[in-house]
Amino acid sequence: MATMDAITLLAGLISGDCGPEVQSMAAMALAEVCRDNQANQTAAADIGSVASVVVLLKHSHSGAVKAEAAGAIWALADHHKANMTSIASAGAIAPLVTLLATGSTRAQEHAANALASLSLDLVDNLTQVTALLVGLLGTGDLDAKSSAAASLWRLVKENPDSEHSIAAAGTASDLVTLLKRGSDEARGYALWSLSLSIDEGNQATVLAEGGIPRLISMLTSSDLPTREQSAAALARLAFKNADTQVAIAKTGGIEPLISMLEAEETGGVAQEFAAAALAELAMLSDNRASIVGDGGIAPLVALLRSGGDMGKRHAAAALARLARGADATQAMIAQAGAVSPLVGLLSGDRGGAAQEEAAGALYELADNAGNRVAITDCDGIGPLVSLLGNTNLQTREHAEGGLVRLSIENSNRVLIIKQLVSMLYDSGKEQAAAALANLASDSVGNRVSIVEAGGIRPLLALLENSSSKAKENAVMAIAHLAHQSEERQTAISEAG
């Protein structure tokens, strides 16, 4: 049967005027001939069977014919990229989705399998199928919605590398509508999709469509994945967006996010997303006051100590923002035990992002006199000095700023400057010179300490055989050292 003559005969029956019974049987036979046989799939496509089968699917008035046409499409498309593309181009996807919603049990089964086969590892088809299925979630009857939800979850399972493409295929407006008024299956899919697809391009839509109250209500669900995904969606929604940050706080989002950090049954992933959301909300001063007032410091410090890498990163970011310009909060964070774990993150063992956030948090905490002592007592100076050679510009700036603040304490100043001067002789000389220039510009005491630590000679040496940036930094440091001091001017002249 699986000969070219047989395939040609079947194709002729499908495209001919043989009546629905013959057409449905021919389509069924073609499906069996082509199933798991790439050579026959190709041969059938070469003689035009794809177009013929799609025409049957789109235009036949017989439900049985449509069911078998869908089965033939499933067989022709299965793991055959060229056929997958040509079937989609022929316009098969939309009628397959319609058949999924309205056809017989057999038709629905064939349509579901055909849609899955057409979508496998082919992003264009996957996006088109997903968008239509999301639409069906919002417009079909209960059975249709259930079929659409089952197909969507199947696409997610079978295309794990395309999760974000699948999530982004539905519009934010449709997804929020489903989240508020859809069936249980539809709400579940909409929440999952929003937790992966909210970005700066659709944040305003989610806000305008009223998605925030529903997302916040889901933070207290008894279902752990629901809590995880709602926290993730809110974190994405709040990312660099003052309007959504205000709206989440005003709608009561801060307290349940803090509760998620505290609950033992929450789980690490949910805590990470809750911390990420709080870190974004803490960009606004009013929200910072609410987070502190609602008891957010202690659970954030607990996550900083015992959470996973992402949890530590987001907790450090949240604490840094809470501490910004608030002396009392800076003291509270240190008293809660944040300094030691923040210093521990400076090693980079928990990732560069956590390292950067920890350096930023220590910079903010060092604005407080008591914290400057605490950071030194936790051996924070050495790791901060080491970060001056870090390849991450933001990390370097945090470390340098933290060291400048720590140097306000006389006992710290000498220690910091000695370590920086020693760095002028190794690979971190460019960053050390920059830090010394910064310190020298800050106070007379710093300038005296740099001279006493023997910093003039290595700074002058940088002017000869170093990078242009190192030379620039060294010149700045020397200029600050010489400022309004004949004694230091003489020392520089004699060293040169």
Side-chain angles (χ1 to χ4, degrees), residues 354-372:
Q355 182 183 58
E356 177 186 328
E357 299 296 355
L362 289 168
Y363 165 71
E364 298 294 350
L365 293 178
D367 198 27
N368 175 279
N371 291 351
R372 291 194 284 273

Side-chain angles (χ1 to χ4, degrees), residues 56 74 115 173 177 181 225 255 400 406 455:
L56 278 189
W74 168 24
L115 289 168
S173 178
T177 298
R181 296 189 288 274
E255 185 176 349
E400 184 175 335
L406 290 174

Side-chain angles (χ1 to χ4, degrees), residues 455-465 474 478 491-496:
I456 292 176
R457 287 189 181 278
L459 283 170
L460 290 173
L462 291 184
L463 301 180
E464 298 180 10
N465 299 307
I478 292 167
I492 292 170
S493 177
E494 290 176 351

Side-chain angles (χ1 to χ4, degrees), residues 197-212:
S197 65
I198 293 176
D199 57 26
E200 292 172 83
N202 60 24
Q203 289 168 328
T205 300
V206 176
L207 174 61
E209 294 292 332
I212 288 177

